[in-house]
Amino acid sequence: MILLLFGCTLLWTCIRSEYSFDVRLADVPLDHFSTLNKTFKLRYLVNGQHHVKGGPVFLYTGNEGNIFMFAQNTGFIFDIAPVFNALIVFVEHRYYGESLPFGNSTKSEDFRFLTTSQALADFVYVIDELRRTYFGTVLGNDTLPFVAFGGSYGGMLAAWLRMKYPHVVIGAIASSAPIWYSKDMVPCEKFYEIITGVFDKFGTTQCTDIVKGSWEILRNVTKIAAGRTFLTVSWKMCSSLENATEDDADKLIDWLSDIYVNMAMTNYPYPTDFIVPLPAYPVKTFCDKLISLNSTDPKSTLENLGKALEVYTNYTGIIKCHSFNSTSRNLGESIWDYQACTELVMPMCSTDKDMFETQPWDQKKYSQECFKRFGVSSRRPDWMVLQYGGQNLKYFSNIVFSNGMMDPWSCGGVKTNISSSIWAVSIADGVHHSDLRNADAADTNYVIEARKFHVMAIRKWLNIF
Ligand SMILES: *[C@@H]1O[C@H](CO)[C@@H](O)[C@H](O)[C@H]1NC(C)=O
Ligand SMILES: *[C@@H]1O[C@H](CO)[C@@H](O)[C@H](O)[C@H]1NC(C)=O
Ligand SMILES: *[C@@H]1O[C@H](CO)[C@@H](O)[C@H](O)[C@H]1NC(C)=O
Ligand SMILES: *[C@@H]1O[C@H](CO)[C@@H](O)[C@H](O)[C@H]1NC(C)=O
Ligand SMILES: *[C@@H]1O[C@H](CO)[C@@H](O)[C@H](O)[C@H]1NC(C)=O
Ligand SMILES: *[C@@H]1O[C@H](CO)[C@@H](O)[C@H](O)[C@H]1NC(C)=O
Ligand SMILES: *[C@@H]1O[C@H](CO)[C@@H](O)[C@H](O)[C@H]1NC(C)=O
Ligand SMILES: *[C@@H]1O[C@H](CO)[C@@H](O)[C@H](O)[C@H]1NC(C)=O
Ligand SMILES: *[C@@H]1O[C@H](CO)[C@@H](O)[C@H](O)[C@H]1NC(C)=O
């Protein structure tokens, strides 16, 4: 699915890396909530370059992917660490990257320890280990406060860490964290509407019209053998679609939708290498190309779409062929799907009003597919609300929720101030956690102001004025 990628899988990514780390492994209980006596190795990264004794620890609560990817795309923490003499730590999320309790097992039985509450407890373990091994003090020593940071699902975890373990982290910066994205809290069509708005704004409605019209063409073309062969060649697919079924056509369409979602989420005003390497304003680049190519008939529309999509799929020009089973190098997409099936069910639907293929939200069908794939059914859909309080955030404190209003995930975010210590910051032209990226000459005032707000909040929490 979507939400939300590294290691040095490609040599050139390693060379471009700006931030270096010591890689450490913590022995963490596989099950924090039973007597099961088993541990696994959880990876975390430490950078002490700006740390001065007595300074705080800025700890990033890892998302659904290889932790290096997030560590290389959260430059804000490095930008402000010198001001606070902070130690920087990025903790990988269990079951992702190299923190794999069961190796590469795909047996759904082995996923049973993959829950948000286990992940939060892992973070607490690492914090304890850091206190004991890095600082030689014990947990509970308030002289070395930890501040949690996270973006997207990582932002949800940062907020929840503060909510559930307020004695462990003094506050949390939760950027683009859709903690309110659950049943009945967000209209299911909102997500794709925001994306369509981004394509309208950066690419014009001519672009969204072409995309909107392409679904029916794709459905038609994939129904006939000659069409499938044409698509295989035209879109340079790795494996032939010759014998593709309707299920495969669904997957192809999901792949395309995910690409549009990812382009909107990462429509940064400068080139980035986050989910995949992209130019500045990838949505604009994609639409400009699509419009510049003349689409006169369904066939040329698909050909041109294939070419324009290379902005996303082949920006580096090193991709030999496409396979539609993944839209990123380093996100644990199928593992995330397990989480989205069990705990983090986020209803989404598309209607006539957006550029996506019309698709209602069908809880029953979703559950059936989850069962087919993982042999699991979702927990009660309101478990998230029961567990983390839903809209009742007034009982908590010291969290900043920031949202880019051009980010589809903002529809599930906290966008109004809740109390004198639960703040919301809106970044009018921001996309997915733009504020957590390093400062750039192309940054707009909104992003700059959001970062200033974060610094102000952290100073307040740490009592530094
Ligand atoms: C847990 O397992 C380790 C090694 O297998 C053993 O040394 C230890 O005594 C066990 N602890 C408990 C509480 O069973
Ligand atoms: C998992 O698979 C990847 C890629 O095939 C491999 O590089 C890695 O070593 C495997 N990890 C484990 C723990 O087996
Ligand atoms: C807390 O940390 C300070 C500074 O490192 C140290 O002097 C003190 O002994 C620690 N207190 C406890 C209870 O560990
Ligand atoms: C798809 O096929 C149907 C039925 O053959 C046809 O009516 C429709 O015009 C086709 N749509 C496109 C966009 O080619
Ligand atoms: C498609 O199916 C036919 C008949 O079973 C087979 O000969 C052909 O090799 C298949 N093509 C691919 C790409 O698998
Ligand atoms: C697009 O079509 C117009 C008119 O048919 C033609 O003048 C123009 O050269 C074409 N552009 C491209 C890029 O093929
Ligand atoms: C990727 O780009 C390169 C350079 O333009 C091109 O040779 C190659 O065919 C492209 N690959 C795909 C899958 O489109
Ligand atoms: C995706 O497809 C490619 C080519 O068809 C294949 O090599 C790769 O193993 C697939 N990856 C996954 C995760 O299924
Ligand atoms: C929340 O309060 C802060 C501090 O007073 C303010 O700067 C910010 O604009 C408010 N956010 C919203 C969304 O009103």
Side-chain angles (χ1 to χ4, degrees):
M1 218 253 321
I2 290 157
L3 204 98
L4 327 339
L5 330 230
F6 164 94
C8 292
T9 46
L10 292 174
L11 189 60
W12 67 275
T13 357
C14 300
I15 294 164
R16 286 169 27 130
S17 294
E18 287 173 56
Y19 308 118
S20 62
F21 297 93
D22 293 333
V23 178
R24 299 169 52 140
L25 298 172
D27 277 309
V28 170
L30 180 56
D31 185 0
H32 292 280
F33 310 108
S34 83
T35 52
L36 181 71
N37 184 18
K38 267 196 185 151
T39 61
F40 70 100
K41 303 239 179 272
L42 189 83
R43 182 167 64 163
Y44 65 97
L45 316 176
V46 178
N47 176 307
Q49 154 188 15
H50 304 295
H51 180 237
V52 178
K53 202 169 180 311
V57 182
F58 289 172
L59 181 130
Y60 187 95
T61 50
N63 314 33
E64 71 284 22
N66 189 311
I67 193 61
F68 274 98
M69 184 189 110
F70 300 101
Q72 296 304 337
N73 283 282
T74 313
F76 171 63
I77 297 184
F78 290 84
D79 288 349
I80 63 166
V83 179
F84 291 96
N85 301 326
L87 182 79
I88 299 171
V89 180
F90 281 79
V91 189
E92 194 157 75
H93 190 295
R94 57 166 58 200
Y95 287 88
Y96 295 98
E98 291 182 7
S99 301
L100 306 171
F102 297 91
N104 287 331
S105 168
T106 51
K107 280 208 328 248
S108 46
E109 162 82 357
D110 291 339
F111 287 116
R112 67 192 184 282
F113 303 106
L114 176 54
T115 63
T116 54
S117 45
Q118 298 280 8
L120 293 180
D122 289 344
F123 297 140
V124 173
Y125 247 74
V126 170
I127 290 173
D128 178 44
E129 173 163 308
L130 278 166
R131 285 204 199 266
R132 282 183 291 110
T133 65
Y134 206 93
F135 304 107
T137 60
V138 295
L139 186 69
N141 191 327
D142 279 339
T143 62
L144 296 164
F146 282 67
V147 179
F149 290 76
S152 195
Y153 171 48
M156 298 164 77
L157 293 167
W160 291 336
L161 187 61
R162 168 64 194 172
M163 284 154 64
K164 293 290 178 191
Y165 300 94
H167 56 292
V168 171
V169 290
I170 203 159
I173 303 291
S175 177
S176 298
I179 62 162
W180 285 350
Y181 206 125
S182 63
K183 191 176 163 278
D184 299 335
M185 287 169 77
V186 177
C188 70
E189 66 275 11
K190 205 71 201 151
F191 187 85
Y192 290 115
E193 279 178 10
I194 295 176
I195 294 170
T196 305
V198 173
F199 276 73
D200 277 342
K201 182 178 156 86
F202 288 90
T204 76
T205 53
Q206 199 185 340
C207 181
T208 45
D209 285 346
I210 302 176
V211 172
K212 178 107 191 128
S214 70
W215 307 112
E216 192 183 322
I217 304 177
L218 269 171
R219 287 290 178 193
N220 281 1
V221 161
T222 52
K223 273 194 195 111
I224 48 171
R228 291 193 296 267
T229 304
F230 161 75
L231 210 53
T232 303
V233 177
S234 168
W235 284 15
K236 302 195 190 107
M237 302 308 294
C238 299
S239 45
S240 172
L241 300 172
E242 193 186 333
N243 298 330
T245 60
E246 207 178 315
D247 259 10
D248 295 323
D250 286 346
K251 279 190 201 135
L252 176 67
I253 282 177
D254 283 350
W255 174 71
L256 264 182
S257 302
D258 284 0
I259 290 176
Y260 299 135
V261 170
N262 290 349
M263 276 199 274
M265 269 164 60
T266 57
N267 194 35
Y268 299 114
Y270 41 79
T272 55
D273 181 7
F274 179 38
I275 300 175
V276 295
L278 286 173
Y281 293 120
V283 170
K284 182 177 179 340
T285 316
F286 164 81
C287 286
D288 285 353
K289 187 154 174 197
L290 186 58
I291 291 165
S292 76
L293 299 162
N294 277 336
S295 304
T296 46
D297 57 290
K299 216 169 140 179
S300 71
T301 302
L302 288 193
E303 258 164 358
N304 295 342
L305 196 55
K307 284 182 197 139
L309 281 168
E310 281 192 50
V311 167
Y312 183 92
T313 58
N314 189 21
Y315 181 52
T316 52
I318 59 168
I319 305 296
K320 299 258 181 314
C321 61
H322 299 127
S323 49
F324 54 78
N325 51 10
S326 172
T327 54
S328 69
R329 290 194 307 274
N330 288 295
L331 277 181
E333 286 167 299
S334 70
I335 304 162
W336 171 257
D337 286 352
Y338 174 89
Q339 290 198 266
C341 273
T342 49
E343 232 183 332
L344 300 159
V345 179
M346 300 181 175
M348 284 177 189
C349 60
S350 32
T351 69
D352 268 356
K353 283 199 285 180
D354 61 59
M355 66 177 202
F356 291 83
E357 187 180 44
T358 300
Q359 215 158 63
W361 169 252
D362 183 341
Q363 174 73 39
K364 207 169 142 211
K365 184 167 165 238
Y366 184 80
S367 296
Q368 281 165 353
E369 270 163 21
C370 287
F371 195 81
K372 210 163 75 193
R373 210 167 143 197
F374 299 109
V376 294
S377 19
S378 61
R379 293 187 179 218
R380 297 170 53 174
D382 51 359
W383 172 236
M384 290 271 285
V385 175
L386 294 176
Q387 192 177 13
Y388 298 115
Q391 267 152 351
N392 280 328
L393 294 182
K394 63 181 179 207
Y395 301 106
F396 305 107
S397 66
N398 294 8
I399 306 174
V400 179
F401 289 100
S402 59
N403 280 287
M405 302 315 282
M406 305 291 270
D407 176 15
W409 292 106
S410 64
C411 64
V414 178
K415 294 185 290 290
T416 53
N417 285 329
I418 305 286
S419 69
S420 58
S421 64
I422 301 277
W423 289 308
V425 175
S426 294
I427 308 169
D429 53 6
V431 283
H432 205 42
H433 45 75
S434 332
D435 49 340
L436 290 190
R437 302 193 61 87
N438 60 290
D440 189 283
D443 284 331
T444 62
N445 274 334
Y446 295 110
V447 176
I448 294 167
E449 288 304 315
R451 294 190 184 125
K452 280 190 194 151
F453 192 90
H454 297 331
V455 169
M456 178 283 292
I458 298 166
R459 278 188 198 283
K460 198 171 144 96
W461 300 335
L462 297 177
N463 248 318
I464 307 172
F465 292 97

